[in-house]
Amino acid sequence: MTTPSVDEQDPRAGLRDLETMLDALTDHAVIKLGPDGEVVRWSRSAQAMTGYTEDEVVGRPPALLRTEEDRDAGLPEQELETVRRDGPRSFQGWLVHHNGERFLAHISLTPVVDGDGSVTGFVEVLRDVTETARAESLFHGLLESAPDAMVIVGTDGRIALVNRQAELLFGFDRAELVGREIEMLVPPRFRDRHVGHRNGFLSNPKVRPMGAGLELSGLRRDGTEFPIEISLSPLHTAEGVLVAAAIRDVTERRETEQRLQRQRDEILELSTPVIQVWDKVLVMPIIGTLDTLRATRLTEGLLEKIAQSQAEVAILDISGVPTIDTQVAQHLLKTVQAAALMGTVSIMSGVRPETAQSMVHLGIDMGRLRSRSTLQDALQLALAVLAERAGTAEDAARALTSGVTR
């Protein structure tokens, strides 16, 4: 034989437990109404929220909490009839505290129905949303005044709020964005990675400014992609940490940067020309200060030209270089060594007396690099090198022919 439970022994025990749980609620006030809308149960949380005691409200309609304007318009009665006819309903409205102060409440009304479908009462749940509404109003004002597109994302990764700039930037209406996952604004190929970034931010929420060096892309409603920069800020709320993302379209800036880079490349090409003066002889006049970028481009340009022309002699004219320091000398030496690996003899021209003294003073050893004071002398040396190489090649050919005939 089974022992009856406590609820079976005393049906009122379950009701007392339920009432205890309702009284334990602090942010929701639960009120039980009779079939005509009169208060029959007034929880402690309702008393704390409204200032009215149970004795003051039981048997009276909850319309006593409503504003005079709502009562005069008959809104409380209309709401009860709507719920009686159509079922549960939620809305926001102004209520009046016992001390006369107004507060904004989220109100839920649910009918209590018996077995034959008759409404035997109502359950009304109140939640004070005054501060939340004030914060949201202020927040909306800040969002709309922000110069960048702003998107607020909840802990579930769904969009909670957007401003007008975000609508214009991505081409979506606000209603199409709110409630959707933020990844809808990310190109498909980046979405899996973006979820990881989002979760990482929520696990370590801290301000992350724009310009972090990340190449990011946004996705418009029409499917086009565009480069963006994003700054992230955590918003600590009662619902958890939200993510405030400020999004900036950097298409124009990227295009400007690319245009400037092309112009710099063109200037570098003009500042380090390689001229073929004779068959097998190249001249590279170097003008101005050599930095790492120019030196790299100089080496690349010279080696490309050597490969194209099969040059045997390359003259590096430094008469237009104002100073020679250790770094510049090392760049020149590396260029000479690279050319030598391709079978090309390098000659340096335009070495002024003060430049030569400076190189000696700095202890710069240019190895076996040949040098001349003027470009004319360097060209004469280049001809001699070609003749020497040609003679050596002829001797080698004769020796080879002589060896074969024997």
Side-chain angles (χ1 to χ4, degrees):
M1 182 176 179
T2 60
T3 303
S5 65
V6 175
D7 289 349
E8 292 172 336
Q9 292 175 354
D10 183 2
R12 293 172 295 180
L15 180 59
R16 286 196 299 270
D17 289 342
L18 177 59
E19 291 179 347
T20 299
M21 286 188 290
L22 294 179
D23 286 336
L25 295 174
T26 58
D27 56 348
H28 290 72
V30 182
I31 306 167
K32 189 174 187 303
L33 308 179
D36 297 324
E38 74 281 7
V39 176
V40 297
R41 172 73 173 84
W42 189 254
S43 64
R44 291 196 190 99
S45 55
Q47 177 176 332
M49 184 179 295
T50 67
Y52 286 93
T53 65
E54 187 174 13
D55 293 339
E56 292 176 298
V57 295
V58 169
R60 299 177 63 184
L64 67 93
L65 299 176
R66 305 298 289 271
T67 64
E68 185 177 350
E69 299 91 330
D70 285 354
R71 291 198 301 271
D72 291 344
L75 286 181
E77 293 77 15
Q78 294 173 20
E79 291 161 359
L80 283 174
E81 287 306 312
T82 300
V83 172
R84 189 191 304 274
R85 182 182 66 250
D86 301 330
R89 181 169 180 259
S90 296
F91 56 94
Q92 280 193 176
W94 288 100
L95 302 183
V96 182
H97 193 274
H98 191 281
N99 62 12
E101 293 182 359
R102 293 188 178 194
F103 65 96
L104 187 64
H106 180 275
I107 305 170
S108 297
L109 267 175
T110 304
V112 179
V113 183
D114 63 11
D116 62 3
S118 300
V119 175
T120 61
F122 303 88
V123 175
E124 185 173 35
V125 180
L126 308 179
R127 180 163 57 91
D128 187 345
V129 295
T130 308
E131 291 302 322
T132 301
R134 185 179 294 118
E136 287 184 353
S137 177
L138 175 62
F139 198 50
H140 276 290
L142 291 174
L143 281 182
E144 295 305 327
S145 64
D148 296 314
M150 297 293 298
V151 178
I152 308 301
V153 182
T155 55
D156 58 356
R158 296 184 180 275
I159 299 171
L161 290 170
V162 298
N163 64 356
R164 178 60 178 160
Q165 289 85 334
E167 293 181 278
L168 295 174
L169 179 61
F170 289 97
F172 288 95
D173 292 333
R174 196 164 307 197
E176 296 177 288
L177 293 172
V178 173
R180 301 282 302 280
E181 291 186 345
I182 184 62
E183 279 72 32
M184 71 178 293
L185 302 179
V186 177
R189 65 184 183 279
F190 298 132
R191 287 176 182 172
D192 290 342
R193 194 186 314 169
H194 188 270
V195 172
H197 291 321
R198 167 163 54 83
N199 294 336
F201 179 84
L202 290 173
S203 65
N204 182 26
K206 60 182 181 180
V207 175
R208 300 182 187 180
M210 289 188 182
L214 296 177
E215 295 288 337
L216 303 174
S217 298
L219 182 67
R220 292 191 179 92
R221 193 178 193 278
D222 62 6
T224 58
E225 298 182 16
F226 61 103
I228 59 174
E229 281 188 350
I230 298 179
S231 69
L232 301 177
S233 302
L235 299 176
H236 299 276
T237 69
E239 289 76 23
V241 178
L242 306 182
V243 182
I247 306 170
R248 185 176 300 167
D249 183 353
V250 294
T251 302
E252 185 175 346
R253 195 185 75 195
R254 293 282 173 83
E255 291 175 350
T256 300
E257 290 174 350
Q258 292 172 0
R259 184 168 61 253
L260 291 175
Q261 184 59 50
R262 288 194 298 270
Q263 291 173 352
R264 283 194 292 267
D265 291 343
E266 291 170 358
I267 292 171
L268 282 174
E269 291 289 347
L270 293 174
S271 65
T272 54
V274 181
I275 305 167
Q276 184 167 352
V277 292
W278 288 320
D279 186 31
K280 307 294 185 180
V281 178
L282 300 176
V283 175
M284 173 176 279
I286 305 172
I287 302 172
T289 303
L290 272 181
D291 55 18
T292 302
L293 182 60
R294 277 198 70 200
T296 302
R297 181 58 62 88
L298 180 150
T299 303
E300 292 174 352
L302 180 61
L303 297 183
E304 288 176 5
K305 194 68 174 180
I306 289 174
Q308 293 172 5
S309 64
Q310 297 296 308
E312 295 186 11
V313 180
I315 300 173
L316 282 69
D317 183 65
I318 63 170
S319 57
V321 178
T323 58
I324 294 288
D325 56 18
T326 304
Q327 185 177 14
V328 172
Q330 291 299 326
H331 284 318
L332 293 174
L333 184 57
K334 289 178 181 178
T335 301
V336 168
Q337 291 171 341
L341 290 175
M342 298 182 70
T344 302
V345 174
S346 296
I347 302 171
M348 182 182 296
S349 67
V351 181
R352 298 190 297 270
E354 60 271 20
T355 301
Q357 291 179 359
S358 176
M359 293 175 67
V360 171
H361 179 71
L362 291 172
I364 298 172
D365 183 8
M366 296 302 290
R368 301 177 64 183
L369 175 65
R370 303 184 188 189
S371 64
R372 290 293 183 269
S373 59
T374 66
L375 179 58
Q376 181 179 353
D377 292 341
L379 290 171
Q380 290 178 350
L381 178 57
L383 291 175
V385 170
L386 290 177
E388 179 183 343
R389 285 195 163 194
T392 303
E394 290 176 2
D395 291 343
R398 283 196 296 271
L400 179 60
T401 301
S402 175
V404 171
T405 55
R406 291 179 186 175

